[in-house]
Each structure stands twice: as structure tokens, then as C-alpha cells.
Amino acid sequence: MAGERTPGRVWIIWATGVLAYAVAVFHRQSLGVAGIEAGLRLGVGATGLSVIAMLQILVYAGMQIPVGMLVDRLGSKRMLLIGAGVMACGQLLFAVSGGLLEAIGGRVLVGCGDAMTFISVIRLVNIWFPGRHNPLIAQLTGLLGQLGAIASAVPLIQGLHRYGWTPTFLAAAAVGALSLMLVAAALRDSRPAVAPERPQVREAWAEPGTRLGMWTHAATQSSSAAFLLLWGYPFLVEGQGLRPETAGVLLSAMTLAGMVFGPVLGYLAGRHPFHRSRMVLIVIGSTAAAWSTVLLWPGRAPLWLLVALVIVLAWNGPGSMIGFDYARTFNPSARIGVATGIVNGGGFTATMSLIALIGIGLDLRGGTGLSAYRLAFAMQYPIWIIGAVQVLRYRGKARRLIAELSEGLGEVGGADQPAAATRPAQ
């Protein structure tokens, strides 16, 4: 469909979607740098903060498949408009909240609107760009969206310290309203050429490539997402004794490094699709190694080691984007929204579980010192192990499926020729 519009128009459509996604990331991660202030304002401990973040992500993850079906039927623009409006309302409620219930309500609305955003933008990429360019454009989408994470780090920290809770989050709500107006004015959408007669959840789930993508997303994203969404900032400040400004700079550096890694992994995934799972396993292994070094270091880790940790965590996000390339490769366009929802939902379910486990670990140790954080962040190892095993398992199933198809399709033939899309769904 990209040939029906001028290239310039296609890039404007994509840029508008990316901006909407960046604002969604800003909303999503705004709790992460406000964790300490939120605990004091709401009178809750580590488990209470985990519940707030967990419910936000639970709503996000739970809505992925329904949103995927709606995007396939209604198109991206409508879903982006609804999502932007809901997130702005959530930040407004969070700004005026003085108790736990109001805060939970605000974050649930943020999670609800956030759930409508990324899938909608990925659908725009799938519609307007050729298949061979999809891995790179998807990575660029993810990394440019992380500009929202930068805006939720140092600027929000400074806003909270200078202006206080309510003005800072009222400003965040205003950013959401501006995003809504821009999408309404600049985005042009197109519905799928053939809409599915019924939701194709079973068919998407039956494809081993969909589940390979889901476990890829879960095993690679959870550590960095839990770090950015809630526990990274308290870990650096309370556990490692860094100044708040230094912690904010490290979180921003993590995002910037991810923006460098994204195009590299996107290019490699497009050029060497048969080796995507190896890239995923390298991301998982290096993340586990970096965390092991920090957690086993006697006393507080030196600054250079914490910098190394955030640099390694930075390629978790780009690594997780490979999961969406699996979803596209193994599913026809009529159910790409549902398949993307399954992949995204699985990843954020793992993130939600890890956030909860870290909070429980901190409360079990009864404090926020270094030893408590060591126990809490050790909760990541089961997720890495299970994720790696499942990636290997479904990689084998996907390769057996490819072997049944004509030579040159799917992961061997490259991203231009989706394997499972060429045969009827099972």
C-alpha cells in the first residue's frame, strides 16, 4: 500500500505514530522516577508501590489481544485517539490523587490507554512499509519512542523537586492532550484490505512463531522494563547510594544507548533472519551476566559498573522487538494485530510478575538497603531461565514448520516472505 501515497506522506504518518508512542512511553514510565515520592505521598511501602505498577501493567497486558482485534477492525487512528485521551485522563487523576485508590485508578487508565498505542503504531509500519524494511523500521519506532523515557527521567525528577506532585503530573496530562490533537490533525489511516470475519486468536496462537515471539519479548524485556518502570531509580538511590540527579542521568543514558542498539539489531535481524534467536539468547545471557556481577559485588558497586549495567540493559528493549518480527513473519496481515497483541501481552505479563516479585523480596527483607535489593533483583533468574528454554523450544518448532514449506520461505528466506502467511491457518 505504500506505493499509493507519496513517500513524504508515508514518513509523516509514521512520524506522527512514533510521537504518539513516545508520549505513551512517557506516561508509562512516569511512575518509575516518582516511586520514592509516591510512597511518601500515598503512605505505602514497597509492596504497595508494586501493586500500583503491577495493576497498570496487568491492564496493559490483559488488553493486548482485545486491542489487537480492535486495531485489525477499526484501524490505527481511532485507537491512537482513544488511547491518548484515556492516558491524559489517567495522569490527571494521578495528579490530584491523595490516596491509594485514586492513584491506582490513575495508573490503570494510563495502562489502558498505553495498551492501545504500540500495536496501532506497529500496524502502521506493517501497512505502509515494504516487508524487507519492517525489522529496521520497527526498531526505529521502538527506539524513537524511548525519547518519552528520557522525558520521564530527568525532567520529571526536576519537576517533582521544584514544583511538587500535582503541577508536575498536570503538565504530564497536558502533554497527553497535545498528543491527541496532533494525531487527530496529522495521521491518516487505512483499514486492512480484507477484514477477518471473526477474531483469529486461536490461529495466531497456533503458530509457533507467535509463541516464539512472545517468549522472546518476555525474556528480553522484563529486566529493563522493571528497572525503568519502577525499581531502577530506588535501587540506584537507596541501594547504591547515588544522588537522584545521577540516577536520572543513568536512566537517560540507558534509553540513549538503546536508541543506538535498536537500528543495529534491526539491521541484523533483517539481514540474517535465520540467526534472530541467537541474538535473543545473547541478549538474555549478557543481561544475566551483568546483573550477576553487580549483585555479587562486595558492597556498593562502583559507578563504572553501574554504567556498564545500564548499557547492557539498554539492548533489552531492541532485543524484545525481535519478537514482533516473529509475529509478522509467521502471520498473515489480517491477524497481525492479534499476533502482535499476544507477543506484547506475554512480555508485559513477565514484566508485571517481576515487578511484583521485586516488591515482595524487598518487604521480606524488611528494608531498602543493599542486601534487600540483592535478594529482590535475584528474582529475575527464573524468568531468564524459563524464557531461554522456551525460546529454544519454539525455535525448534518454528524451524520444523519452515522445513515443511517450500525452500526459501520464512526465517530462512528472509522477512519479505512470511512462512506461515503462505498457508492456511491451522
Side-chain angles (χ1 to χ4, degrees):
M1 295 181 65
E4 297 177 5
R5 300 293 182 107
T6 63
R9 187 60 189 163
V10 172
W11 288 109
I12 291 174
I13 291 171
W14 175 70
T16 304
V18 167
L19 182 59
Y21 174 52
V23 173
V25 172
F26 167 78
H27 290 316
R28 179 195 306 168
Q29 297 186 186
S30 58
L31 177 61
V33 297
I36 296 174
E37 287 81 0
L40 295 173
R41 180 181 176 89
L42 304 175
V44 297
T47 300
L49 287 175
S50 291
V51 168
I52 296 174
M54 184 178 66
L55 288 174
Q56 174 184 330
I57 300 173
L58 177 63
V59 170
Y60 180 97
M63 289 187 64
Q64 289 302 301
I65 293 176
V67 166
M69 292 187 290
L70 288 173
V71 170
D72 284 337
R73 289 183 173 273
L74 301 180
S76 297
K77 181 172 183 175
R78 292 183 183 182
M79 299 304 293
L80 287 172
L81 287 172
I82 296 170
V86 171
M87 284 186 285
C89 291
Q91 291 286 43
L92 180 62
L93 179 58
F94 197 59
V96 300
S97 63
L100 184 60
L101 290 180
E102 297 98 324
I104 288 175
R107 300 318 295 182
V108 164
L109 287 175
V110 169
C112 180
D114 188 13
M116 302 177 189
T117 306
F118 183 73
I119 294 178
S120 301
V121 179
I122 288 295
R123 179 181 168 274
L124 289 174
V125 172
N126 291 328
I127 286 177
W128 293 108
F129 290 93
R132 66 183 180 278
H133 294 156
N134 263 263
L136 180 57
I137 299 299
Q139 286 285 358
L140 289 172
T141 301
L143 74 89
L144 291 175
Q146 295 310 306
L147 292 172
I150 296 175
S152 70
V154 176
L156 267 184
I157 292 172
Q158 292 179 343
L160 285 168
H161 290 170
R162 181 174 299 180
Y163 303 111
W165 180 278
T166 298
T168 299
F169 282 101
L170 284 177
V175 170
L178 289 174
S179 172
L180 186 152
M181 290 187 286
L182 182 63
V183 170
L187 191 69
R188 294 295 178 268
D189 198 8
S190 177
R191 297 188 183 184
V194 179
E197 295 180 0
R198 61 183 176 81
Q200 298 193 21
V201 179
R202 174 180 288 184
E203 291 84 350
W205 178 256
E207 294 294 349
T210 302
R211 278 180 276 182
L212 175 59
M214 182 188 74
W215 285 107
T216 292
H217 199 249
T220 53
Q221 178 197 255
S222 55
S223 181
S224 62
F227 195 84
L228 284 172
L229 287 171
L230 184 61
W231 292 120
Y233 181 75
F235 168 74
L236 294 172
V237 174
E238 296 177 334
Q240 296 295 333
L242 298 183
R243 296 177 57 196
E245 295 79 7
T246 305
V249 169
L250 283 181
L251 294 177
S252 297
M254 178 176 166
T255 301
L256 290 171
M259 295 175 69
V260 174
F261 291 138
V264 175
L265 282 180
Y267 173 79
L268 292 175
R271 290 283 295 177
H272 307 285
F274 192 73
H275 300 292
R276 287 176 293 184
S277 58
R278 295 183 185 178
M279 300 177 201
V280 171
L281 294 172
I282 290 172
V283 170
I284 297 171
S286 62
T287 303
W291 267 115
S292 297
T293 304
V294 171
L295 296 180
L296 294 174
W297 193 270
R300 289 175 171 172
L303 182 59
W304 66 264
L305 182 56
L306 295 176
V307 171
L309 173 66
V310 300
I311 295 301
V312 172
L313 286 176
W315 75 335
N316 279 223
S320 72
M321 295 293 292
I322 296 174
F324 299 110
D325 197 41
Y326 281 126
R328 181 192 59 80
T329 300
F330 284 86
N331 289 274
S333 59
R335 64 169 184 251
I336 194 66
V338 173
T340 302
I342 291 173
V343 171
N344 212 24
F348 276 91
T349 298
T351 298
M352 174 193 66
S353 302
L354 180 56
I355 286 176
L357 288 171
I358 291 173
I360 292 170
L362 287 172
D363 280 348
L364 284 176
R365 291 302 297 263
T368 55
L370 181 57
S371 61
Y373 276 108
R374 281 175 171 162
L375 171 65
F377 277 98
M379 302 292 184
Q380 300 175 100
Y381 289 94
I383 294 177
W384 289 324
I385 294 170
I386 295 171
V389 169
Q390 293 291 71
V391 166
L392 290 170
R393 176 189 177 194
Y394 284 105
R395 180 182 71 174
K397 291 187 175 184
R399 287 180 174 178
R400 287 192 292 272
L401 171 64
I402 292 169
E404 298 173 358
L405 303 173
S406 57
E407 185 179 359
L409 296 179
E411 194 172 356
V412 176
D416 281 332
Q417 297 173 307
T422 61
R423 67 185 183 90
Q426 298 297 313

